[in-house]
Amino acid sequence: MSILVVEDNRETRRKIVADLKQNGFKDAVFEAVDGLDGFQKASQNAPDVILCDIEMPRMDGLKFLTAIRSRTETEHIPVLLLTSNTSRDIRLKGLTTGAHDFIHIPYDPQELVARAKLHLNAKRREEELRKRNKELELLSHKDALTGAFNRRYLCHILNVELGRAARTDGMVSVLMLDIDHFKEINDRFGHQAGDLALKKVTAEATACLRDYDLFFRYGGEEFVVMLPDTSKREALKVAHRLCQKVRAIAFSHISPDLKITVSIGVAAYPDNDVCSVEELLAHADQALYQAKQSGRDQVA
Ligand code: GH3
Ligand code: MG
Ligand code: MG
Ligand code: MG
Ligand code: MG
């Protein structure tokens, strides 16, 4: 945790820094001599709390605040404005520009430290929440068993991708995979072996796709691959490669007889003349049905 003190009055600045250092912020206090200096230091170090004077040369406290709030790296940092005989007008401007608090100069050292700690803790809690929200958001996109993205995320992201392709005259392809005779695999080797097969297929497929291709668990033993910027020709190649990869998966620790294969249906925008996610997936599903009808372990 670090505090930045932005104050052009040398005496006030030194005193604040000394008070903070004596009260739990020993190696964590930085100083800046005016708004511009403060803005540069805040941009470099992203301190946890900023104490900032209002009247300063080069860049005053309100301009400093505006600048801090306009950058993603610094927008959440609590700023406490130092006010001496500041007008009500300026104080209101400070609040509406994003100041968290005011400290009246001359200040009470204990109160100054207490306020700094209050805002530090609040910021820490906020950061924790933001982090957890991000983790939850990511989790809400994933399937619990395989770690693949889930169907909800597929609908969202494929819609985004299809929109982009339509706007930019681009392409997007999808593969729909279904494990062949999976019911038999469960029946012969047990449900746990079936679960493992689902995880293995996910791991193998994810490993052989490009970074910007996404792998989804669509339902039970069905998966979808989204291939941005990919023609149907290219998508067919990817599908054949996936078929081969799955065929080669060994489950020797379960049984040498456990082998899995997949059937894959391919569809592409604009090839299939589709306007919606539903239509694109329906085409892939029809192709998958053909692959199944033609004997499984193949691409259509
Ligand atoms: P096909 O080649 O026509 O696709 O035959 P299939 O047996 O794979 O298809 P079917 O739809 O008859 O059976 C799918 C099976 O997948 C049935 C279901 O119990 C199993 N399944 C679905 N989700 C899971 C899961 O999470 N774990 C396990 N182990 N099995 C699952
Ligand atoms: Mg000043
Ligand atoms: Mg199925
Ligand atoms: Mg089926
Ligand atoms: Mg199946």
Side-chain angles (χ1 to χ4, degrees):
M1 70 191 176
S2 62
I3 300 194
L4 176 65
V5 180
V6 188
E7 165 68 79
D8 66 314
N9 183 310
R10 191 180 143 116
E11 208 177 306
T12 310
R13 188 176 71 242
R14 290 279 156 89
K15 190 172 174 320
I16 293 176
V17 169
D19 283 330
L20 287 168
K21 285 193 171 177
Q22 275 167 31
N23 287 282
F25 298 102
K26 198 160 172 285
D27 302 313
V29 191
F30 302 88
E31 2 181 344
V33 298
D34 60 37
L36 198 58
D37 186 30
F39 179 63
Q40 280 158 356
K41 287 188 171 140
S43 304
Q44 276 161 22
N45 304 318
D48 296 298
V49 172
I50 299 173
L51 306 186
C52 180
D53 186 21
I54 294 180
E55 277 174 33
M56 293 182 292
R58 297 215 289 171
M59 183 189 263
D60 69 23
L62 293 178
K63 290 207 180 93
F64 171 84
L65 247 180
T66 309
I68 288 289
R69 293 287 170 256
S70 69
R71 302 197 56 201
T72 34
E73 298 85 357
T74 53
E75 68 176 337
H76 298 298
I77 302 175
V79 175
L80 286 63
L81 291 176
L82 308 168
T83 69
S84 36
N85 29 33
T86 310
S87 71
R88 172 178 178 275
D89 228 33
I90 301 258
R91 289 201 308 276
L92 279 179
K93 257 200 191 124
L95 284 173
T96 50
T97 312
H100 280 60
D101 206 351
F102 291 97
I103 291 169
H104 200 270
I105 306 286
Y107 64 91
D108 175 326
Q110 280 180 319
E111 188 185 330
L112 178 130
V113 168
R115 283 191 195 274
K117 285 186 177 163
L118 181 79
H119 290 287
L120 254 176
N121 289 336
K123 180 177 181 254
R124 215 175 276 150
R125 279 194 300 274
E126 242 181 61
E127 261 167 15
E128 187 61 33
L129 274 180
R130 258 197 300 278
K131 204 176 108 202
R132 275 195 222 166
N133 270 344
K134 266 207 183 130
E135 286 165 4
L136 279 177
E137 194 190 349
L138 196 64
L139 265 184
S140 77
H141 295 161
K142 297 260 177 138
D143 164 57
L145 176 70
T146 61
F149 289 111
N150 58 26
R151 184 174 183 153
R152 179 176 30 193
Y153 189 55
L154 169 69
C155 295
H156 165 72
I157 204 72
L158 189 53
N159 198 29
V160 172
E161 201 53 45
L162 204 58
R164 187 190 355 249
R167 271 197 317 280
T168 61
D169 270 334
M171 323 172 267
V172 53
S173 291
V174 296
L175 317 181
M176 196 170 280
L177 283 77
D178 185 292
I179 302 181
D180 298 323
H181 303 304
F182 194 60
K183 203 178 159 322
E184 272 176 47
I185 289 169
N186 274 329
D187 292 346
R188 259 185 86 191
F189 302 96
H191 205 265
Q192 277 188 335
D195 283 357
L196 184 73
L198 295 169
K199 290 190 212 180
K200 281 265 195 184
V201 166
T202 301
E204 282 294 322
T206 315
C208 84
L209 293 168
R210 302 171 303 181
D211 279 351
Y212 32 94
D213 299 332
L214 296 180
F215 190 81
F216 304 84
R217 187 175 181 198
Y218 192 60
E221 25 74 87
E222 284 178 39
F223 299 91
V224 167
V225 186
M226 183 183 87
L227 304 160
D229 285 326
T230 308
S231 66
K232 189 184 267 184
R233 230 175 96 89
E234 280 302 313
L236 281 164
K237 280 192 208 160
V238 176
H240 282 289
R241 201 166 73 221
L242 281 178
C243 253
Q244 236 172 355
K245 285 275 175 193
V246 171
R247 213 180 290 134
I249 298 175
F251 295 91
S252 30
H253 58 294
I254 295 178
S255 161
D257 297 335
L258 174 50
K259 293 257 187 285
I260 52 173
T261 58
V262 287
S263 300
I264 305 181
V266 181
Y269 172 89
D271 250 54
N272 286 83
D273 204 22
V274 294
C275 302
S276 69
V277 165
E278 292 74 24
E279 285 173 340
L280 186 60
L281 291 175
H283 274 281
D285 197 42
Q286 281 157 23
L288 170 62
Y289 181 76
Q290 271 177 39
K292 291 278 184 191
Q293 290 296 300
S294 313
R296 296 178 169 77
D297 188 16
Q298 59 188 275
V299 176

